Amino acid sequence: MTSNNKLFGLLVPVISVIVGLLAGAVIMLLSGHDPIQGYAALWNGAFGDAYTIGETIRRTTPLILTGLAVAFAFKTGLFNIGAEGQVIVGWLAAVWVGLAIDAPMIVHLPLAIIAGMLAGSLWGFLPGLLKAKLGVHEVIITIMMNYIALFITNEIIRSVLTDQNTTTESIAGTASLASEWLQSITFYSRVHYGILIALLAAFIMWFIIERTTYGYELKSVGHNLHASNYAGMNVSKNIILSMVIGGAFAGLAGAMEGLGTYGTISVMSGFTNLGFDGIAVALLGSNNAIGVVLAAILFGALKEGAGEMPTAAGVPTELVDIIIALIIFFVASSYIIRWVAFRFKKEEK
């Protein structure tokens, strides 16, 4: 039964992606567009040349990290809706340090990255503390903290980092993740060294979950909180640490945007959606570190390739959002897929 569960755990995301893409093709046909041309344009927009590959990698980088932020909390049975706010404060903290400190790169860049992680951790700590000590539902508090992060960040940009401007100055070169070498081999895309940090973060999550005592306790609390408490595990500590570490991953995603992609931070009229996309990435990746990386690559390719679809095939970019929504719908409805598969297996016997 365990091997069957693992097999279906692998098949459900794959089937969901295939069904989502097929549904997208049907929608294109019904709206009078050629699905072959539409998906060819999507592919070319994501992997057509060195530039688009670089941009796809750049777009994938923060999605890996926000996916890890949500997945890590899921391991303790927590729903980290607050990854969006954690991204924003991490972005702000990293850029702030990148602007305010004058130091060599070996000091400046790690400090800016750590500042982003600490800011995200702090934004995850409060919901974790309220959940662990007072039983406040993490979904409610994290949603509210997303808005707090957005408005506080905008005010700091206007009043502290700039003189009523909407965009800060560029960070010092000593705090930048930009890579002239990577840009030169990708026709000067915005790809940067952050992808290596994101992959390292995925490895760290895998190691913590699968190879440490804390990871075992984390999964135990996620499976059964009361049994874990009866077994002598510190449930409150695990809940708080889970949100803190998840927040660090999300804050790191913000740092990647601030130190790598843009080198600045601007007043935001709305959310970045990186944290919300991370929820979809975590669900598709089955809250597994390797699965999160693969799901982030898929979503990064879909979002980057969508820009080519209107010009090359006349297909609106909103179709990609529909496809992503359908993929997540089928992942969330995985029990239906499992039921059909088990029925099919019984009929074969």
Side-chain angles (χ1 to χ4, degrees):
M1 183 62 72
T2 302
S3 61
N4 284 338
N5 288 335
K6 288 183 178 180
L7 176 62
F8 284 116
L10 293 172
L11 285 178
V12 165
V14 174
I15 294 172
S16 299
V17 170
I18 293 172
V19 173
L21 292 173
L22 288 174
V26 172
I27 293 171
M28 278 188 266
L29 281 172
L30 293 175
S31 59
H33 298 101
D34 185 345
I36 295 177
Q37 287 185 1
Y39 282 133
L42 179 68
W43 176 267
N44 288 332
F47 303 108
D49 54 34
Y51 175 82
T52 56
I53 292 173
E55 283 296 304
T56 298
I57 294 172
R58 188 271 307 172
R59 194 179 284 268
T60 298
T61 299
L63 291 177
I64 293 174
L65 292 163
T66 54
L68 294 175
V70 177
F72 202 91
F74 268 139
K75 290 295 184 181
T76 323
L78 301 172
F79 198 4
N80 184 15
I81 301 288
E84 180 66 27
Q86 294 150 16
V87 167
I88 292 172
V89 296
W91 189 337
L92 173 68
V95 170
W96 200 337
V97 171
L99 291 169
I101 294 178
D102 182 15
M105 179 175 281
I106 195 171
V107 175
H108 200 181
L109 181 56
L111 274 179
I113 292 172
I114 291 170
M117 294 176 64
L118 288 176
S121 295
L122 177 62
W123 226 248
F125 169 76
L126 183 56
L129 181 66
L130 292 174
K131 172 72 174 181
K133 300 301 183 182
L134 300 176
V136 180
H137 203 290
E138 72 279 3
V139 170
I140 297 172
I141 189 68
T142 50
I143 287 175
M144 291 191 295
M145 290 193 70
N146 285 338
Y147 287 95
I148 295 171
L150 176 63
F151 296 129
I152 287 179
T153 295
N154 284 346
E155 183 58 28
I156 290 175
I157 293 170
R158 291 193 191 98
S159 303
V160 180
L161 298 183
T162 68
D163 184 17
Q164 293 300 315
N165 293 324
T166 58
T167 303
T168 65
E169 295 180 0
S170 295
I171 59 172
T174 51
S176 176
L177 284 166
S179 166
E180 292 184 3
W181 175 69
L182 287 176
Q183 291 172 358
S184 67
I185 63 175
T186 56
F187 294 154
Y188 298 96
S189 72
R190 291 174 292 176
V191 66
H192 51 81
Y193 286 126
I195 185 62
L196 301 179
I197 296 174
L199 294 174
L200 176 61
F203 172 77
I204 289 172
M205 174 177 163
W206 171 85
F207 183 81
I208 291 174
I209 297 298
E210 302 297 337
R211 293 292 184 269
T212 67
T213 303
Y214 170 62
Y216 175 80
E217 290 188 7
L218 197 70
K219 290 184 287 186
S220 176
V221 170
H223 284 305
N224 194 316
L225 186 148
H226 300 292
S228 300
N229 188 49
Y230 182 77
M233 298 179 188
N234 191 329
V235 172
S236 293
K237 182 193 78 172
N238 281 296
I239 288 174
I240 294 171
L241 277 177
S242 176
M243 290 298 292
V244 166
I245 294 174
F249 284 136
L252 189 56
M256 297 302 98
E257 295 293 270
L259 306 178
T261 301
Y262 298 102
T264 62
I265 186 170
S266 301
V267 171
M268 303 175 192
S269 58
F271 292 123
T272 69
N273 288 327
L274 288 171
F276 299 128
D277 288 338
I279 298 172
V281 169
L283 286 172
L284 183 60
S286 300
N287 301 317
N288 175 278
I290 297 174
V292 164
V293 172
L294 296 176
I297 292 171
L298 173 65
F299 280 22
L302 288 172
K303 288 182 172 291
E304 185 61 34
E308 188 72 15
M309 295 175 74
T311 55
V315 179
T317 57
E318 288 79 8
L319 179 70
V320 167
D321 292 325
I322 294 173
I323 292 172
I324 290 174
L326 287 170
I327 290 171
I328 299 308
F329 171 78
F330 287 117
V331 170
S333 305
S334 60
Y335 70 92
I336 298 176
I337 299 174
R338 293 172 190 237
W339 179 80
V340 172
F342 276 122
R343 285 294 297 270
F344 183 75
K345 191 173 182 180
K346 286 180 180 178
E347 288 177 5
E348 281 187 339
K349 291 181 179 180

